[in-house]
Amino acid sequence: MMLTLDRVHAYHGKAQVLHGVTLTVAAGEIVSLTGRNGAGKTTLLRTLAGIYEPVVGRLQVSGAIGALLDPNLGMNPELTGRENIALRGLYNGMARPAIRRLEEDVQDFAELAEFLDLPVRFYSSGMVIRLGFALATAIRPEVLLMDEWFLAGDAAFMDRARTRLEDMVRGADILVLSSHNATVVQDWSTRVMWLDQGRIVADGAPADVLGQYLGVPA
């Protein structure tokens, strides 16, 4: 598995957001993107996911991608949580026994209890996050892209999420995460990229890059 961007320029609407970004992420890496609002973190994730197409440069992805970029991505709010799980399983070509196992796994992790049989439109934002996160990590992608919305979970959820992600990347998988949370970035990452105005300012060990980033006056 590998992600490669080669001198990529990307736009959000009419505004250029990424300016000649070059990076390579290899199997087994947990890469955190940090930087102020508007630095280009979400645009970079969406470009890696194939949602935004580079106008200049080259994107290469080796491996199946899963993206946690929007809590509602891939879910039908009119269907129940259980029905959304089944649809995701069918979309991924699972047989009925595998879908039942998927449902059990998601139900255990998301802790939705009786809410699993209610339409998702009745869920709180935290419940949607737990369901979306559980689904995205139960059907294991080889490359997982994650925006910081999932950090809205409580402390107990964060602990379980970290354990689940660490299990996912223990093999040959890749996680690319966008976050402002310095503790999460420091504790979860093998590597940090600091973005500013659509360019990579620093790329390296978490302690080194965070030290540079946090030492810059706001």
Side-chain angles (χ1 to χ4, degrees):
M1 274 71 70
M2 185 169 290
L3 289 175
T4 302
L5 288 181
D6 185 17
R7 296 183 295 275
V8 163
H9 296 258
Y11 284 74
H12 181 197
K14 294 182 178 180
Q16 184 174 353
V17 181
L18 300 182
H19 302 268
V21 171
T22 295
L23 65 89
T24 298
V25 184
E29 290 195 281
I30 304 176
V31 179
S32 287
L33 308 176
T34 195
R36 298 190 179 92
N37 289 333
K41 302 185 299 298
T42 297
T43 298
L44 177 53
L45 285 179
R46 289 177 178 268
T47 302
L48 292 172
I51 297 171
Y52 296 161
E53 185 176 353
V55 293
V56 177
R58 182 171 58 95
L59 165 65
Q60 283 189 310
V61 180
S62 170
I65 287 183
L68 280 166
L69 306 180
D70 181 326
N72 298 298
L73 188 65
M75 282 195 279
N76 185 333
E78 299 302 318
L79 299 181
T80 68
R82 197 180 305 278
E83 289 168 338
N84 273 286
I85 295 169
L87 279 179
R88 187 71 62 89
L90 290 170
Y91 177 80
N92 283 273
M94 292 181 169
R96 288 189 180 277
I99 290 176
R100 285 195 293 271
R101 291 192 295 272
L102 173 66
E103 181 182 310
E104 291 171 1
D105 180 71
V106 172
Q107 185 170 6
D108 288 346
F109 181 85
E111 296 182 339
L112 293 174
E114 68 276 8
F115 289 99
L116 203 63
D117 292 306
L118 288 178
V120 169
R121 62 189 170 89
F122 291 121
Y123 288 15
S124 68
S125 59
M127 293 163 67
V128 172
I129 285 172
R130 295 204 305 274
L131 177 60
F133 180 89
L135 268 174
T137 51
I139 303 174
R140 283 186 54 161
E142 293 168 311
V143 178
L144 181 60
L145 309 173
M146 184 177 301
D147 212 342
E148 57 195 343
W149 58 261
F150 89 97
L151 296 174
D154 58 23
F157 169 78
M158 287 291 293
D159 286 342
R160 289 186 294 120
R162 174 177 177 171
T163 299
R164 196 168 172 99
L165 288 173
E166 287 175 344
D167 178 67
M168 191 200 79
V169 300
R170 193 168 289 122
D173 297 304
I174 289 170
L175 170 64
V176 182
L177 159 72
S178 168
S179 178
H180 285 104
N181 188 318
T183 300
V184 168
V185 171
Q186 174 70 56
D187 293 347
W188 291 25
S189 311
T190 61
R191 175 180 169 194
V192 176
M193 294 181 186
W194 169 19
L195 271 73
D196 186 54
Q197 298 182 2
R199 294 178 173 85
I200 296 176
V201 177
D203 178 358
D208 295 340
V209 177
L210 277 177
Q212 295 177 57
Y213 171 61
L214 296 175
V216 174

